[in-house]
Amino acid sequence: MKKSSNGILAIIVLTLLSAGALWFSVPEWLVTMKPATDFNEISDSELRAGLHVEGDVYALLDSYASEQTWTEHEHGVTPKKTSKIYYILPVGEQSCIGLEVRAEDKRLYNDITDATLSYMFGETEYIESDPVHFEGQIVKMDDELYQYLLEWFQESEYFGTTDEAAIKEYVPSYLMRPFSPGLYTMLAIAGVFVLADVIAVAILLVRRKKRRARAEEKLYAPSVAVPPTDSGRDALKRLQQ
């Protein structure tokens, strides 16, 4: 009974681990399997979550947010480290969406931002910076990050208004995000968990089948007559007398 309980517990744990790994990896992997769309040629009406996009980044309006990480421990916290930076990318005919960039690549994207602003202010005839190739997917932006983006447009009055509803017509809550660097590792881990889960279920079923077979053998085993011992014969004689 204890072995059976341990086996069921192991299956439950493996099932939860498999489900978690699949939840975080399979949806993104499915997007990578779709044909890539050049985000420089996309229209406003074609913007949607789940789109596989690829192309060169030529212009950026500004950065509007960053993500920092740190570790808390008993003696305090480690220094904050910027892991991601979010830029404003013009797409379509007149839309702007977010662009997620790794912090280690910020110099390349900052150069594009500076060159874009110089062009917009009439300081240069064109955007004088090298484009950066980008591949990833379009996802829905979380509410907090989207609010930062809307506030940037309100403060800059880029569209000539501070009205949030009017700005939302040009700034949908979409974020262009690179594919996770550990995507295929996560898929491999998910595959290992699923395989282990299947093997654990198979072992448990085989064990239960064997126990059931042994129980049936005992239940339907034929009875064997055992001849009485000498003491048994003496007892029978006394009863007969």
Side-chain angles (χ1 to χ4, degrees):
M1 185 67 181
K2 185 176 181 181
K3 288 184 178 180
S4 178
S5 300
N6 291 339
I8 294 174
L9 179 60
I11 290 172
I12 293 174
V13 172
L14 287 171
T15 300
L16 292 175
L17 292 173
S18 301
L22 292 172
W23 174 267
F24 284 108
S25 60
V26 170
E28 186 173 355
W29 174 72
L30 291 176
V31 175
T32 67
M33 302 301 290
K34 298 178 182 179
T37 300
D38 189 338
F39 54 82
N40 290 304
E41 299 178 358
I42 200 171
S43 65
D44 294 336
S45 60
E46 291 175 320
L47 287 171
R48 67 180 185 276
L51 199 64
H52 179 183
V53 290
E54 185 175 12
D56 293 326
V57 178
Y58 293 99
L60 293 169
L61 299 183
D62 198 0
S63 60
Y64 68 96
S66 64
E67 181 178 295
Q68 295 181 322
T69 57
W70 63 89
T71 303
E72 296 183 359
H73 50 81
E74 58 180 352
H75 301 296
V77 296
T78 58
K80 293 182 179 180
K81 181 180 179 181
T82 300
S83 57
K84 299 174 184 176
I85 301 176
Y86 299 93
Y87 292 86
I88 303 171
L89 176 71
V91 292
E93 292 83 15
Q94 54 185 356
S95 296
C96 292
I97 62 174
L99 174 68
E100 181 182 300
V101 173
R102 296 178 304 174
E104 52 264 37
D105 297 327
K106 69 178 181 178
R107 184 184 61 79
L108 298 173
Y109 290 92
N110 284 345
D111 288 344
I112 296 176
T113 301
D114 293 339
T116 303
L117 293 176
S118 295
Y119 170 75
M120 292 174 61
F121 292 146
E123 298 173 1
T124 58
E125 295 183 3
Y126 55 91
I127 300 176
E128 299 176 346
S129 65
D130 295 327
V132 178
H133 190 74
F134 184 95
E135 182 179 9
Q137 63 176 326
I138 294 180
V139 300
K140 288 287 290 184
M141 197 182 306
D142 68 66
D143 293 340
E144 183 179 8
L145 195 57
Y146 186 43
Q147 192 59 44
Y148 291 149
L149 181 59
L150 294 176
E151 288 174 0
W152 185 94
F153 282 99
Q154 287 176 317
E155 293 173 1
S156 66
E157 297 188 30
Y158 181 85
F159 294 110
T161 180
T162 59
D163 182 66
E164 186 174 293
I167 293 172
K168 285 183 177 180
E169 295 182 8
Y170 304 100
V171 186
S173 59
Y174 290 130
L175 176 69
M176 212 160 75
R177 169 182 292 165
F179 291 122
S180 302
L183 174 60
Y184 292 100
T185 301
M186 181 62 72
L187 279 172
I189 292 173
V192 171
F193 283 146
V194 170
L195 180 60
D197 197 13
V198 171
I199 292 174
V201 171
I203 291 174
L204 182 63
L205 292 176
V206 169
R207 286 178 176 175
R208 285 189 172 182
K209 186 176 181 180
K210 288 182 177 180
R211 284 199 298 270
R212 189 179 298 112
R214 287 196 296 267
E216 290 177 352
E217 287 178 0
K218 292 181 180 179
L219 181 63
Y220 297 106
S223 58
V224 179
V226 179
T229 61
D230 292 340
S231 59
R233 290 192 184 95
D234 293 339
L236 288 174
K237 287 181 180 178
R238 284 195 297 270
L239 288 173
Q240 290 173 354
Q241 292 174 354

